[in-house]
């Protein structure tokens, strides 16, 4: 795929509960096409899909109820350890990446100036290689802990398991081109404007080149 020649591709990732969805919404308001890989993941695990069959083999047939995925049960197993999270990713990433590429091309054909890949596992999936630059949203663990419990309606223990199954802040700082800090006293809108500035700079460079 050579879609990046038509527009800018931004990778957006971060720790669970850090708030990358909020950054994605702000980028959408600025005219970017945000591609939600969580939504794609739900699409590829619909009843009877090949991916769903592979997940049942990997995590147990009981994750299916009348042929449909019990997402909460899968999440409890897939996010119980980094090893299991990697197993989940190995099953789902190939199809997710295929659809991400299709959506990027559609976005540029529809005149969007930038496509944002919103992906928790941006680097693990290799989708960062599609991007002109990458952005990671980070936040202290105690704040994320409260956000996750409120957002997903899970217990303290379940929230802690999810957090521990992910990489720490240094992983994102090391791998991402830009870091967004979504907690006081940092202003998320001001930081998102820096992403737009970077995007416009990258686009200017492409036109000049």
């Amino acid at each position: 795929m050579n879609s990046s020649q038509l527009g800018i591709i931004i990778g957006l990732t971060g720790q669970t509960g850090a708030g990358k969805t909020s950054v994605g919404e702000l980028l959408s308001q600025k005219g970017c096409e945000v591609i939600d890989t969580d939504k794609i993941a739900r699409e590829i695990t619909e009843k009877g899909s090949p991916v769903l069959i592979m997940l049942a083999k990997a995590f147990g047939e009981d994750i299916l109820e009348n042929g449909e995925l019990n997402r909460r049960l899968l999440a409890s197993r897939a996010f119980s350890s980094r090893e299991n999270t990697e197993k989940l990713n190995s099953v789902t990433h190939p199809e997710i990446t295929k659809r991400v590429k299709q959506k990027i091309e559609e976005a540029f054909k529809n005149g969007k100036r930038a496509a944002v890949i919103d992906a928790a596992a941006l680097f693990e999936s290799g989708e960062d290689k599609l991007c002109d630059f990458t952005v990671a949203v980070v936040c202290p663990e105690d704040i994320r802990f409260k956000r996750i419990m409120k957002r997903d309606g899970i217990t303290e223990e379940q929230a802690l398991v999810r957090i521990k199954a992910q990489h720490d802040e240094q992983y994102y700082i090391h791998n991402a081109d830009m870091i967004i800090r979504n907690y006081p006293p940092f202003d998320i809108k001001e930081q998102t404007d820096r992403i737009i500035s970077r995007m416009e700079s990258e686009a200017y460079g492409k036109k000049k080149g």
Side-chain angles (χ1 to χ4, degrees):
M1 186 186 72
N2 202 28
S3 290
S4 59
Q5 297 302 310
L6 303 173
I8 301 299
I9 302 174
I10 303 168
L12 178 62
T13 190
Q15 303 158 302
T16 181
K20 67 180 175 62
T21 299
S22 298
V23 175
E25 288 172 355
L26 289 170
L27 291 172
S28 179
Q29 290 170 18
K30 297 287 187 178
C32 300
E33 180 73 19
V34 178
I35 299 165
D36 185 348
T37 57
D38 283 344
K39 184 178 179 181
I40 294 174
R42 289 192 291 273
E43 292 171 355
I44 66 170
T45 52
E46 290 175 350
K47 189 172 183 178
S49 72
V51 171
L52 190 57
I53 293 168
M54 287 189 286
L55 285 173
K57 288 181 180 178
F59 291 98
E61 297 291 336
D62 59 332
I63 66 168
L64 302 182
E65 294 180 355
N66 298 319
E68 295 188 354
L69 179 61
N70 181 329
R71 298 186 188 279
R72 187 170 287 247
L73 180 57
L74 173 62
S76 70
R77 292 177 183 173
F79 301 125
S80 63
S81 68
R82 192 163 295 175
E83 181 183 5
N84 279 347
T85 301
E86 288 172 359
K87 186 194 295 185
L88 171 71
N89 293 341
S90 70
V91 173
T92 59
H93 281 167
E95 184 61 26
I96 290 174
T97 300
K98 177 184 172 183
R99 298 201 184 195
V100 163
K101 290 177 178 179
Q102 292 171 348
K103 289 181 179 294
I104 289 171
E105 292 193 0
E106 288 171 9
F108 292 148
K109 284 178 182 177
N110 291 331
K112 292 289 184 178
R113 58 179 180 160
V116 179
I117 305 173
D118 178 342
L122 183 76
F123 300 113
E124 297 88 337
S125 66
E127 288 165 5
D128 61 304
K129 295 178 177 62
L130 302 173
C131 303
D132 291 287
F133 66 96
T134 58
V135 179
V137 186
V138 299
C139 181
E141 187 174 298
D142 59 330
I143 297 175
R144 293 190 291 115
F145 187 77
K146 293 173 183 175
R147 287 177 182 171
I148 296 165
M149 288 177 59
K150 183 178 180 181
R151 181 191 69 195
D152 298 338
I154 57 178
T155 65
E156 289 185 13
E157 184 179 359
Q158 289 170 321
L160 189 60
V161 165
R162 290 194 187 184
I163 285 174
K164 296 303 181 185
Q166 284 197 316
H167 296 287
D168 62 18
E169 184 175 298
Q170 287 305 311
Y171 172 85
Y172 296 97
I173 291 173
H174 176 74
N175 285 286
D177 297 311
M178 296 182 70
I179 297 295
I180 301 295
R181 290 176 169 82
N182 186 22
Y183 54 93
F186 301 100
D187 188 314
I188 192 172
K189 290 186 178 180
E190 185 179 291
Q191 293 178 89
T192 303
D193 286 341
R194 290 197 291 110
I195 301 174
I196 297 299
S197 295
R198 173 73 179 263
M199 180 190 82
E200 290 172 346
S201 177
E202 294 276 350
Y204 177 75
K206 285 191 173 185
K207 286 178 182 177
K208 197 173 181 181

